[in-house]
Amino acid sequence: MPRAWYSNEKVLVNLKRLAIFIACVVAYLLLRQIPIVAGADAWTRHQLVRLGTSFGGAVARLVASEESLATRLAVCEERRATLTTDNAELQALEREVYELRGLLSFTQRANRDGTAARILARSVGGTTTVTVDQGTRQGVTEGMAAVIGDGLLYGTVTTVGESTSVVRLTTDRASAIPAAILGERRTIGLVHGKEGALLVMEFVPQDADIAVDDVVVTSGLDGHMPEGLIIGTVSDIVAQESAPFKQAIIEPLHDPREWSTMFLLPSTAGL
Amino acid sequence: MMASALIALAFGAARSLEMSLVQSFPLPYAVMPVMLIAGIIVLHRVDLVLGIAWLVMMSVLADPWGEGATTVVPFLAAAVAAVPLEQRIFANRSVYALLGMGLSLQFVVVLTAVIMAAAHGLWSDTALFGHGFLTARIYETIMLLLGLYGGAAAFWRLSQWARRTFFLHA
């Protein structure tokens, strides 16, 4: 009598391997729910983010100018003898201190309560979302503004877990931030993520008095986002004479990949 | 069975590496598809079933293109295509077969995504994928091939170590 396909020894071995693999991955995900494991996991992943951020910055500086590549190479070779892993750690710490100083300056100036958060992971592509190490336990709620440096808007909290949260960056296509262009007059509208690293404010009335280099800030009109957080500056204005509206192309003042810490602001009154 | 547990461990490590370390690098280094590279090596060099499971779980848990749930379908197509590719076309264990396997799977994934985007465009005004999608895939393919080439050598050393340490034969 022929045996059923699933009783074939090879199939059973494969199924067993598959089951163990899936069980281990699920166990890994479940273990990360335990606070002590979650803490260790968050620490490890943030160190990777810090390492990547500092190393990425160094690589970007190295390849930024081909003209000075030979000079930089010579300098690097000279340094190679003396650089150690402590130096890399020092650079990461320096960057973190720079970021935290900016946040501290912002919190002192704005006199606001909030939660400092560290990036644990970034979405692939790097311009849509980041996962941070603060969640409901630390009082994080959906709609909170994520701020970097001295009051630059980084994104908004969209999903909150017990000990982690997801921040949607302003550059994400799904992002919509109530904003105001500070020109001769204040022009309000919604700022969306555009392709690449740019942002766009659509449906700006043709008679709105805006110009290139005008500063764009949050308007706070949705009741969640604090008012006055800097989004970027107007880099271009797209207008068609026959159309009732024009578009303002906005350039953010930061590169999302360069930051590994941020400040989550509660959704209350303006600055 | 130890191999399955180690592969799962590698899955978690590759996920953390890609999402925390590699994504913090500037472009084009940030498009290095660490999980896909590791998945293809597992598929080609360790075990076809585990490799397929890797690709499917990766598309569900890691959002490999940052495009949300739409990514799952192209990677399911790649997982299906991997069976005949591994068993009939790239059956030998050379580096060239590995590179061919990676290139073929990437082709299947991108082709499926393009078909999906075209079908989506028939009834929607919004694009299914971002503007730089295909450009990012081109960079990703180059990084994939470089990563597979380097990864094959690294895997060989790692497997030698694992054999000596854990008496594995995978």
Side-chain angles (χ1 to χ4, degrees), chain A residues 17-18 20 24 32 48-49 52 55-56 59 120-125 173 195 257, chain B residues 1 4 8 15 19-21 23-26 29-30 47 53 64 66 130-131:
Chain A
R17 280 184 163 194
L18 187 63
I20 290 174
C24 288
R32 280 174 45 191
L48 289 173
V49 169
F55 177 73
V59 170
L120 300 182
R122 299 175 201 269
S123 63
V124 175
R173 284 195 299 164
E195 307 299 351
R257 290 181 194 281
Chain B
M1 297 307 141
S4 299
R15 184 170 179 265
M19 297 180 78
S20 297
L21 182 68
Q23 284 306 313
S24 298
F25 290 164
Y29 312 102
D47 187 90
H131 178 65

PDB file of all heavy atoms in Angstrom, chain A residues 17-18 20 24 32 48-49 52 55-56 59 120-125 173 195 257, chain B residues 1 4 8 15 19-21 23-26 29-30 47 53 64 66 130-131:
ATOM      1  N   ARG A  17      12.322  20.654  10.691  1.00  0.00           N
ATOM      2  CA  ARG A  17      13.264  21.782  10.599  1.00  0.00           C
ATOM      3  C   ARG A  17      12.516  23.106  10.524  1.00  0.00           C
ATOM      4  O   ARG A  17      12.856  24.081  11.185  1.00  0.00           O
ATOM      5  CB  ARG A  17      14.123  21.653   9.341  1.00  0.00           C
ATOM      6  CG  ARG A  17      15.254  20.693   9.474  1.00  0.00           C
ATOM      7  CD  ARG A  17      16.073  20.715   8.213  1.00  0.00           C
ATOM      8  NE  ARG A  17      17.372  20.117   8.449  1.00  0.00           N
ATOM      9  CZ  ARG A  17      18.396  20.218   7.631  1.00  0.00           C
ATOM     10  NH1 ARG A  17      18.282  20.883   6.522  1.00  0.00           N
ATOM     11  NH2 ARG A  17      19.544  19.643   7.899  1.00  0.00           N
ATOM     12  N   LEU A  18      11.483  23.101   9.664  1.00  0.00           N
ATOM     13  CA  LEU A  18      10.696  24.315   9.470  1.00  0.00           C
ATOM     14  C   LEU A  18      10.021  24.729  10.775  1.00  0.00           C
ATOM     15  O   LEU A  18      10.032  25.913  11.152  1.00  0.00           O
ATOM     16  CB  LEU A  18       9.638  24.059   8.387  1.00  0.00           C
ATOM     17  CG  LEU A  18       8.811  25.252   7.927  1.00  0.00           C
ATOM     18  CD1 LEU A  18       9.711  26.296   7.284  1.00  0.00           C
ATOM     19  CD2 LEU A  18       7.755  24.807   6.931  1.00  0.00           C
ATOM     20  N   ILE A  20      10.909  24.031  13.835  1.00  0.00           N
ATOM     21  CA  ILE A  20      11.895  24.525  14.819  1.00  0.00           C
ATOM     22  C   ILE A  20      12.312  25.953  14.471  1.00  0.00           C
ATOM     23  O   ILE A  20      12.410  26.824  15.339  1.00  0.00           O
ATOM     24  CB  ILE A  20      13.121  23.587  14.878  1.00  0.00           C
ATOM     25  CG1 ILE A  20      12.713  22.263  15.529  1.00  0.00           C
ATOM     26  CG2 ILE A  20      14.265  24.213  15.663  1.00  0.00           C
ATOM     27  CD1 ILE A  20      13.781  21.209  15.509  1.00  0.00           C
ATOM     28  N   CYS A  24      11.605  29.088  16.865  1.00  0.00           N
ATOM     29  CA  CYS A  24      12.708  29.898  17.411  1.00  0.00           C
ATOM     30  C   CYS A  24      12.500  31.383  17.103  1.00  0.00           C
ATOM     31  O   CYS A  24      12.750  32.236  17.958  1.00  0.00           O
ATOM     32  CB  CYS A  24      14.050  29.443  16.845  1.00  0.00           C
ATOM     33  SG  CYS A  24      14.596  27.870  17.499  1.00  0.00           S
ATOM     34  N   ARG A  32      11.301  39.162  23.500  1.00  0.00           N
ATOM     35  CA  ARG A  32      11.530  40.612  23.501  1.00  0.00           C
ATOM     36  C   ARG A  32      10.427  41.375  24.218  1.00  0.00           C
ATOM     37  O   ARG A  32      10.523  42.575  24.422  1.00  0.00           O
ATOM     38  CB  ARG A  32      11.668  41.107  22.066  1.00  0.00           C
ATOM     39  CG  ARG A  32      13.052  40.834  21.519  1.00  0.00           C
ATOM     40  CD  ARG A  32      13.160  41.175  20.070  1.00  0.00           C
ATOM     41  NE  ARG A  32      12.554  42.462  19.762  1.00  0.00           N
ATOM     42  CZ  ARG A  32      12.333  42.887  18.530  1.00  0.00           C
ATOM     43  NH1 ARG A  32      12.672  42.143  17.520  1.00  0.00           N
ATOM     44  NH2 ARG A  32      11.786  44.057  18.314  1.00  0.00           N
ATOM     45  N   LEU A  48      23.988  49.686  17.802  1.00  0.00           N
ATOM     46  CA  LEU A  48      24.163  49.497  16.357  1.00  0.00           C
ATOM     47  C   LEU A  48      23.791  50.767  15.605  1.00  0.00           C
ATOM     48  O   LEU A  48      24.466  51.167  14.653  1.00  0.00           O
ATOM     49  CB  LEU A  48      23.294  48.320  15.873  1.00  0.00           C
ATOM     50  CG  LEU A  48      23.747  46.927  16.294  1.00  0.00           C
ATOM     51  CD1 LEU A  48      22.717  45.876  15.890  1.00  0.00           C
ATOM     52  CD2 LEU A  48      25.084  46.580  15.642  1.00  0.00           C
ATOM     53  N   VAL A  49      22.687  51.408  16.037  1.00  0.00           N
ATOM     54  CA  VAL A  49      22.272  52.657  15.388  1.00  0.00           C
ATOM     55  C   VAL A  49      23.344  53.727  15.561  1.00  0.00           C
ATOM     56  O   VAL A  49      23.718  54.422  14.609  1.00  0.00           O
ATOM     57  CB  VAL A  49      20.917  53.145  15.963  1.00  0.00           C
ATOM     58  CG1 VAL A  49      20.614  54.565  15.499  1.00  0.00           C
ATOM     59  CG2 VAL A  49      19.794  52.216  15.540  1.00  0.00           C
ATOM     60  N   GLY A  52      26.310  52.887  13.383  1.00  0.00           N
ATOM     61  CA  GLY A  52      25.987  53.167  11.981  1.00  0.00           C
ATOM     62  C   GLY A  52      25.948  54.649  11.704  1.00  0.00           C
ATOM     63  O   GLY A  52      26.444  55.111  10.679  1.00  0.00           O
ATOM     64  N   PHE A  55      29.635  55.995  11.940  1.00  0.00           N
ATOM     65  CA  PHE A  55      30.421  55.446  10.833  1.00  0.00           C
ATOM     66  C   PHE A  55      29.910  55.987   9.496  1.00  0.00           C
ATOM     67  O   PHE A  55      30.692  56.355   8.623  1.00  0.00           O
ATOM     68  CB  PHE A  55      30.341  53.923  10.843  1.00  0.00           C
ATOM     69  CG  PHE A  55      31.070  53.279   9.694  1.00  0.00           C
ATOM     70  CD1 PHE A  55      32.449  53.239   9.671  1.00  0.00           C
ATOM     71  CD2 PHE A  55      30.377  52.723   8.633  1.00  0.00           C
ATOM     72  CE1 PHE A  55      33.120  52.654   8.610  1.00  0.00           C
ATOM     73  CE2 PHE A  55      31.038  52.133   7.572  1.00  0.00           C
ATOM     74  CZ  PHE A  55      32.407  52.104   7.563  1.00  0.00           C
ATOM     75  N   GLY A  56      28.579  56.060   9.383  1.00  0.00           N
ATOM     76  CA  GLY A  56      27.981  56.584   8.152  1.00  0.00           C
ATOM     77  C   GLY A  56      28.415  58.012   7.897  1.00  0.00           C
ATOM     78  O   GLY A  56      28.719  58.378   6.770  1.00  0.00           O
ATOM     79  N   VAL A  59      32.013  57.977   6.689  1.00  0.00           N
ATOM     80  CA  VAL A  59      32.105  57.517   5.294  1.00  0.00           C
ATOM     81  C   VAL A  59      31.615  58.605   4.349  1.00  0.00           C
ATOM     82  O   VAL A  59      32.238  58.881   3.323  1.00  0.00           O
ATOM     83  CB  VAL A  59      31.274  56.221   5.105  1.00  0.00           C
ATOM     84  CG1 VAL A  59      31.148  55.878   3.625  1.00  0.00           C
ATOM     85  CG2 VAL A  59      31.943  55.070   5.837  1.00  0.00           C
ATOM     86  N   LEU A 120      15.923  52.708  17.829  1.00  0.00           N
ATOM     87  CA  LEU A 120      16.336  51.300  17.884  1.00  0.00           C
ATOM     88  C   LEU A 120      16.456  50.699  16.494  1.00  0.00           C
ATOM     89  O   LEU A 120      17.259  49.811  16.264  1.00  0.00           O
ATOM     90  CB  LEU A 120      15.309  50.482  18.675  1.00  0.00           C
ATOM     91  CG  LEU A 120      15.074  50.903  20.114  1.00  0.00           C
ATOM     92  CD1 LEU A 120      14.073  49.960  20.760  1.00  0.00           C
ATOM     93  CD2 LEU A 120      16.372  50.895  20.890  1.00  0.00           C
ATOM     94  N   ALA A 121      15.606  51.143  15.594  1.00  0.00           N
ATOM     95  CA  ALA A 121      15.632  50.589  14.235  1.00  0.00           C
ATOM     96  C   ALA A 121      15.032  51.600  13.278  1.00  0.00           C
ATOM     97  O   ALA A 121      14.253  52.457  13.677  1.00  0.00           O
ATOM     98  CB  ALA A 121      14.837  49.293  14.186  1.00  0.00           C
ATOM     99  N   ARG A 122      15.453  51.473  12.027  1.00  0.00           N
ATOM    100  CA  ARG A 122      14.917  52.365  10.998  1.00  0.00           C
ATOM    101  C   ARG A 122      14.239  51.516   9.940  1.00  0.00           C
ATOM    102  O   ARG A 122      14.673  50.387   9.677  1.00  0.00           O
ATOM    103  CB  ARG A 122      16.044  53.153  10.329  1.00  0.00           C
ATOM    104  CG  ARG A 122      16.829  54.030  11.278  1.00  0.00           C
ATOM    105  CD  ARG A 122      17.989  54.668  10.520  1.00  0.00           C
ATOM    106  NE  ARG A 122      19.030  55.109  11.426  1.00  0.00           N
ATOM    107  CZ  ARG A 122      19.085  56.334  11.952  1.00  0.00           C
ATOM    108  NH1 ARG A 122      18.169  57.213  11.666  1.00  0.00           N
ATOM    109  NH2 ARG A 122      20.066  56.666  12.762  1.00  0.00           N
ATOM    110  N   SER A 123      13.209  52.077   9.320  1.00  0.00           N
ATOM    111  CA  SER A 123      12.573  51.357   8.220  1.00  0.00           C
ATOM    112  C   SER A 123      13.550  51.315   7.061  1.00  0.00           C
ATOM    113  O   SER A 123      14.418  52.173   6.942  1.00  0.00           O
ATOM    114  CB  SER A 123      11.299  52.070   7.791  1.00  0.00           C
ATOM    115  OG  SER A 123      11.630  53.342   7.295  1.00  0.00           O
ATOM    116  N   VAL A 124      13.395  50.304   6.208  1.00  0.00           N
ATOM    117  CA  VAL A 124      14.267  50.212   5.045  1.00  0.00           C
ATOM    118  C   VAL A 124      13.960  51.389   4.128  1.00  0.00           C
ATOM    119  O   VAL A 124      12.808  51.713   3.880  1.00  0.00           O
ATOM    120  CB  VAL A 124      14.060  48.870   4.327  1.00  0.00           C
ATOM    121  CG1 VAL A 124      14.883  48.819   3.051  1.00  0.00           C
ATOM    122  CG2 VAL A 124      14.444  47.743   5.251  1.00  0.00           C
ATOM    123  N   GLY A 125      15.000  52.020   3.648  1.00  0.00           N
ATOM    124  CA  GLY A 125      14.820  53.254   2.887  1.00  0.00           C
ATOM    125  C   GLY A 125      15.147  54.441   3.769  1.00  0.00           C
ATOM    126  O   GLY A 125      15.593  55.463   3.289  1.00  0.00           O
ATOM    127  N   ARG A 173       5.641  59.518   2.781  1.00  0.00           N
ATOM    128  CA  ARG A 173       4.570  59.940   1.872  1.00  0.00           C
ATOM    129  C   ARG A 173       3.221  60.023   2.575  1.00  0.00           C
ATOM    130  O   ARG A 173       2.338  60.765   2.176  1.00  0.00           O
ATOM    131  CB  ARG A 173       4.463  58.964   0.701  1.00  0.00           C
ATOM    132  CG  ARG A 173       5.556  59.149  -0.330  1.00  0.00           C
ATOM    133  CD  ARG A 173       5.213  58.434  -1.606  1.00  0.00           C
ATOM    134  NE  ARG A 173       5.070  56.997  -1.415  1.00  0.00           N
ATOM    135  CZ  ARG A 173       4.493  56.183  -2.283  1.00  0.00           C
ATOM    136  NH1 ARG A 173       3.981  56.668  -3.381  1.00  0.00           N
ATOM    137  NH2 ARG A 173       4.420  54.886  -2.061  1.00  0.00           N
ATOM    138  N   GLU A 195       8.371  62.687  -2.808  1.00  0.00           N
ATOM    139  CA  GLU A 195       9.377  61.702  -3.198  1.00  0.00           C
ATOM    140  C   GLU A 195      10.754  62.179  -2.770  1.00  0.00           C
ATOM    141  O   GLU A 195      11.052  63.361  -2.873  1.00  0.00           O
ATOM    142  CB  GLU A 195       9.361  61.497  -4.718  1.00  0.00           C
ATOM    143  CG  GLU A 195       8.004  61.163  -5.296  1.00  0.00           C
ATOM    144  CD  GLU A 195       7.426  59.888  -4.749  1.00  0.00           C
ATOM    145  OE1 GLU A 195       8.142  59.154  -4.037  1.00  0.00           O
ATOM    146  OE2 GLU A 195       6.248  59.617  -5.000  1.00  0.00           O
ATOM    147  N   ARG A 257      18.885  60.306   8.716  1.00  0.00           N
ATOM    148  CA  ARG A 257      19.868  59.267   9.068  1.00  0.00           C
ATOM    149  C   ARG A 257      20.917  59.760  10.052  1.00  0.00           C
ATOM    150  O   ARG A 257      21.645  58.978  10.627  1.00  0.00           O
ATOM    151  CB  ARG A 257      20.597  58.780   7.819  1.00  0.00           C
ATOM    152  CG  ARG A 257      19.726  57.992   6.900  1.00  0.00           C
ATOM    153  CD  ARG A 257      20.552  57.531   5.707  1.00  0.00           C
ATOM    154  NE  ARG A 257      19.680  57.068   4.663  1.00  0.00           N
ATOM    155  CZ  ARG A 257      19.111  55.879   4.657  1.00  0.00           C
ATOM    156  NH1 ARG A 257      19.326  55.052   5.640  1.00  0.00           N
ATOM    157  NH2 ARG A 257      18.321  55.516   3.684  1.00  0.00           N
TER     158      ARG A 257
ATOM    159  N   MET B   1      18.953  19.485  13.815  1.00  0.00           N
ATOM    160  CA  MET B   1      17.943  20.442  14.283  1.00  0.00           C
ATOM    161  C   MET B   1      18.591  21.686  14.900  1.00  0.00           C
ATOM    162  O   MET B   1      17.981  22.734  14.985  1.00  0.00           O
ATOM    163  CB  MET B   1      17.018  19.782  15.320  1.00  0.00           C
ATOM    164  CG  MET B   1      16.224  18.633  14.741  1.00  0.00           C
ATOM    165  SD  MET B   1      15.333  19.112  13.247  1.00  0.00           S
ATOM    166  CE  MET B   1      15.534  17.669  12.236  1.00  0.00           C
ATOM    167  N   SER B   4      18.581  24.508  12.478  1.00  0.00           N
ATOM    168  CA  SER B   4      17.375  25.346  12.398  1.00  0.00           C
ATOM    169  C   SER B   4      17.423  26.454  13.448  1.00  0.00           C
ATOM    170  O   SER B   4      17.083  27.611  13.163  1.00  0.00           O
ATOM    171  CB  SER B   4      16.122  24.506  12.636  1.00  0.00           C
ATOM    172  OG  SER B   4      16.026  23.522  11.657  1.00  0.00           O
ATOM    173  N   ALA B   8      17.660  30.451  12.825  1.00  0.00           N
ATOM    174  CA  ALA B   8      16.713  31.401  13.436  1.00  0.00           C
ATOM    175  C   ALA B   8      17.469  32.514  14.159  1.00  0.00           C
ATOM    176  O   ALA B   8      17.087  33.684  14.099  1.00  0.00           O
ATOM    177  CB  ALA B   8      15.790  30.664  14.400  1.00  0.00           C
ATOM    178  N   ARG B  15      18.268  40.711  10.988  1.00  0.00           N
ATOM    179  CA  ARG B  15      17.196  41.718  11.069  1.00  0.00           C
ATOM    180  C   ARG B  15      17.683  42.945  11.851  1.00  0.00           C
ATOM    181  O   ARG B  15      17.490  44.082  11.423  1.00  0.00           O
ATOM    182  CB  ARG B  15      15.977  41.094  11.749  1.00  0.00           C
ATOM    183  CG  ARG B  15      14.768  41.993  11.817  1.00  0.00           C
ATOM    184  CD  ARG B  15      13.551  41.202  12.293  1.00  0.00           C
ATOM    185  NE  ARG B  15      12.380  42.033  12.390  1.00  0.00           N
ATOM    186  CZ  ARG B  15      11.972  42.630  13.505  1.00  0.00           C
ATOM    187  NH1 ARG B  15      12.648  42.448  14.614  1.00  0.00           N
ATOM    188  NH2 ARG B  15      10.885  43.368  13.524  1.00  0.00           N
ATOM    189  N   MET B  19      18.223  46.629  10.118  1.00  0.00           N
ATOM    190  CA  MET B  19      17.334  47.725  10.511  1.00  0.00           C
ATOM    191  C   MET B  19      18.012  48.741  11.428  1.00  0.00           C
ATOM    192  O   MET B  19      17.584  49.892  11.486  1.00  0.00           O
ATOM    193  CB  MET B  19      16.075  47.161  11.164  1.00  0.00           C
ATOM    194  CG  MET B  19      15.269  46.305  10.202  1.00  0.00           C
ATOM    195  SD  MET B  19      13.782  45.634  10.914  1.00  0.00           S
ATOM    196  CE  MET B  19      12.704  47.041  10.853  1.00  0.00           C
ATOM    197  N   SER B  20      19.027  48.329  12.163  1.00  0.00           N
ATOM    198  CA  SER B  20      19.660  49.270  13.083  1.00  0.00           C
ATOM    199  C   SER B  20      20.986  49.797  12.540  1.00  0.00           C
ATOM    200  O   SER B  20      21.230  50.999  12.574  1.00  0.00           O
ATOM    201  CB  SER B  20      19.892  48.602  14.442  1.00  0.00           C
ATOM    202  OG  SER B  20      18.659  48.254  15.026  1.00  0.00           O
ATOM    203  N   LEU B  21      21.835  48.903  12.048  1.00  0.00           N
ATOM    204  CA  LEU B  21      23.171  49.333  11.613  1.00  0.00           C
ATOM    205  C   LEU B  21      23.175  49.840  10.173  1.00  0.00           C
ATOM    206  O   LEU B  21      23.499  50.996   9.904  1.00  0.00           O
ATOM    207  CB  LEU B  21      24.162  48.181  11.781  1.00  0.00           C
ATOM    208  CG  LEU B  21      25.601  48.490  11.406  1.00  0.00           C
ATOM    209  CD1 LEU B  21      26.216  49.475  12.383  1.00  0.00           C
ATOM    210  CD2 LEU B  21      26.443  47.228  11.357  1.00  0.00           C
ATOM    211  N   GLN B  23      20.821  50.541   8.024  1.00  0.00           N
ATOM    212  CA  GLN B  23      19.922  51.649   7.686  1.00  0.00           C
ATOM    213  C   GLN B  23      20.412  52.991   8.220  1.00  0.00           C
ATOM    214  O   GLN B  23      19.876  54.028   7.853  1.00  0.00           O
ATOM    215  CB  GLN B  23      18.513  51.356   8.198  1.00  0.00           C
ATOM    216  CG  GLN B  23      17.768  50.344   7.355  1.00  0.00           C
ATOM    217  CD  GLN B  23      17.720  50.717   5.883  1.00  0.00           C
ATOM    218  OE1 GLN B  23      17.417  51.840   5.526  1.00  0.00           O
ATOM    219  NE2 GLN B  23      18.053  49.780   5.012  1.00  0.00           N
ATOM    220  N   SER B  24      21.401  52.971   9.114  1.00  0.00           N
ATOM    221  CA  SER B  24      21.967  54.225   9.600  1.00  0.00           C
ATOM    222  C   SER B  24      23.104  54.709   8.707  1.00  0.00           C
ATOM    223  O   SER B  24      23.599  55.819   8.877  1.00  0.00           O
ATOM    224  CB  SER B  24      22.493  54.042  11.032  1.00  0.00           C
ATOM    225  OG  SER B  24      21.439  53.697  11.890  1.00  0.00           O
ATOM    226  N   PHE B  25      23.549  53.877   7.773  1.00  0.00           N
ATOM    227  CA  PHE B  25      24.598  54.286   6.834  1.00  0.00           C
ATOM    228  C   PHE B  25      24.006  55.252   5.805  1.00  0.00           C
ATOM    229  O   PHE B  25      22.812  55.225   5.540  1.00  0.00           O
ATOM    230  CB  PHE B  25      25.164  53.067   6.086  1.00  0.00           C
ATOM    231  CG  PHE B  25      25.993  52.142   6.934  1.00  0.00           C
ATOM    232  CD1 PHE B  25      26.288  50.863   6.495  1.00  0.00           C
ATOM    233  CD2 PHE B  25      26.483  52.530   8.167  1.00  0.00           C
ATOM    234  CE1 PHE B  25      27.047  50.001   7.259  1.00  0.00           C
ATOM    235  CE2 PHE B  25      27.238  51.684   8.941  1.00  0.00           C
ATOM    236  CZ  PHE B  25      27.526  50.414   8.486  1.00  0.00           C
ATOM    237  N   PRO B  26      24.868  56.083   5.189  1.00  0.00           N
ATOM    238  CA  PRO B  26      24.356  56.934   4.104  1.00  0.00           C
ATOM    239  C   PRO B  26      24.112  56.097   2.845  1.00  0.00           C
ATOM    240  O   PRO B  26      24.649  54.988   2.719  1.00  0.00           O
ATOM    241  CB  PRO B  26      25.499  57.927   3.885  1.00  0.00           C
ATOM    242  CG  PRO B  26      26.720  57.208   4.338  1.00  0.00           C
ATOM    243  CD  PRO B  26      26.296  56.303   5.448  1.00  0.00           C
ATOM    244  N   TYR B  29      25.048  52.876   0.618  1.00  0.00           N
ATOM    245  CA  TYR B  29      25.366  51.733   1.494  1.00  0.00           C
ATOM    246  C   TYR B  29      24.130  51.233   2.237  1.00  0.00           C
ATOM    247  O   TYR B  29      24.036  50.061   2.588  1.00  0.00           O
ATOM    248  CB  TYR B  29      26.453  52.112   2.496  1.00  0.00           C
ATOM    249  CG  TYR B  29      27.629  52.800   1.848  1.00  0.00           C
ATOM    250  CD1 TYR B  29      27.788  54.170   1.916  1.00  0.00           C
ATOM    251  CD2 TYR B  29      28.547  52.066   1.102  1.00  0.00           C
ATOM    252  CE1 TYR B  29      28.837  54.807   1.295  1.00  0.00           C
ATOM    253  CE2 TYR B  29      29.599  52.700   0.471  1.00  0.00           C
ATOM    254  CZ  TYR B  29      29.743  54.073   0.570  1.00  0.00           C
ATOM    255  OH  TYR B  29      30.771  54.704  -0.069  1.00  0.00           O
ATOM    256  N   ALA B  30      23.178  52.159   2.463  1.00  0.00           N
ATOM    257  CA  ALA B  30      21.991  51.791   3.233  1.00  0.00           C
ATOM    258  C   ALA B  30      21.085  50.815   2.492  1.00  0.00           C
ATOM    259  O   ALA B  30      20.207  50.211   3.108  1.00  0.00           O
ATOM    260  CB  ALA B  30      21.207  53.041   3.602  1.00  0.00           C
ATOM    261  N   ASP B  47      19.705  25.007   3.344  1.00  0.00           N
ATOM    262  CA  ASP B  47      18.496  24.206   3.224  1.00  0.00           C
ATOM    263  C   ASP B  47      17.435  25.003   2.464  1.00  0.00           C
ATOM    264  O   ASP B  47      17.156  26.152   2.810  1.00  0.00           O
ATOM    265  CB  ASP B  47      17.979  23.861   4.634  1.00  0.00           C
ATOM    266  CG  ASP B  47      16.826  22.891   4.589  1.00  0.00           C
ATOM    267  OD1 ASP B  47      17.068  21.687   4.616  1.00  0.00           O
ATOM    268  OD2 ASP B  47      15.676  23.372   4.504  1.00  0.00           O
ATOM    269  N   ALA B  53      11.381  29.631   4.009  1.00  0.00           N
ATOM    270  CA  ALA B  53      10.760  30.164   5.234  1.00  0.00           C
ATOM    271  C   ALA B  53      11.381  31.516   5.593  1.00  0.00           C
ATOM    272  O   ALA B  53      10.693  32.446   6.021  1.00  0.00           O
ATOM    273  CB  ALA B  53      10.941  29.173   6.381  1.00  0.00           C
ATOM    274  N   PRO B  64      11.035  44.568   3.940  1.00  0.00           N
ATOM    275  CA  PRO B  64      12.352  44.776   3.311  1.00  0.00           C
ATOM    276  C   PRO B  64      12.468  45.977   2.379  1.00  0.00           C
ATOM    277  O   PRO B  64      13.579  46.394   2.081  1.00  0.00           O
ATOM    278  CB  PRO B  64      12.590  43.466   2.547  1.00  0.00           C
ATOM    279  CG  PRO B  64      11.295  42.779   2.502  1.00  0.00           C
ATOM    280  CD  PRO B  64      10.452  43.272   3.611  1.00  0.00           C
ATOM    281  N   GLY B  66      10.490  48.837   2.919  1.00  0.00           N
ATOM    282  CA  GLY B  66       9.875  49.986   3.577  1.00  0.00           C
ATOM    283  C   GLY B  66       8.594  50.421   2.894  1.00  0.00           C
ATOM    284  O   GLY B  66       8.242  51.599   2.915  1.00  0.00           O
ATOM    285  N   GLY B 130       6.947  54.057  -4.186  1.00  0.00           N
ATOM    286  CA  GLY B 130       7.497  55.413  -4.257  1.00  0.00           C
ATOM    287  C   GLY B 130       8.201  55.693  -5.577  1.00  0.00           C
ATOM    288  O   GLY B 130       8.490  54.779  -6.350  1.00  0.00           O
ATOM    289  N   HIS B 131       8.510  56.960  -5.812  1.00  0.00           N
ATOM    290  CA  HIS B 131       9.100  57.405  -7.075  1.00  0.00           C
ATOM    291  C   HIS B 131      10.455  56.739  -7.334  1.00  0.00           C
ATOM    292  O   HIS B 131      10.747  56.325  -8.442  1.00  0.00           O
ATOM    293  CB  HIS B 131       9.256  58.931  -7.027  1.00  0.00           C
ATOM    294  CG  HIS B 131       9.897  59.506  -8.235  1.00  0.00           C
ATOM    295  ND1 HIS B 131       9.302  59.442  -9.474  1.00  0.00           N
ATOM    296  CD2 HIS B 131      11.081  60.126  -8.410  1.00  0.00           C
ATOM    297  CE1 HIS B 131      10.094  60.019 -10.362  1.00  0.00           C
ATOM    298  NE2 HIS B 131      11.178  60.448  -9.738  1.00  0.00           N
TER     299      HIS B 131
END
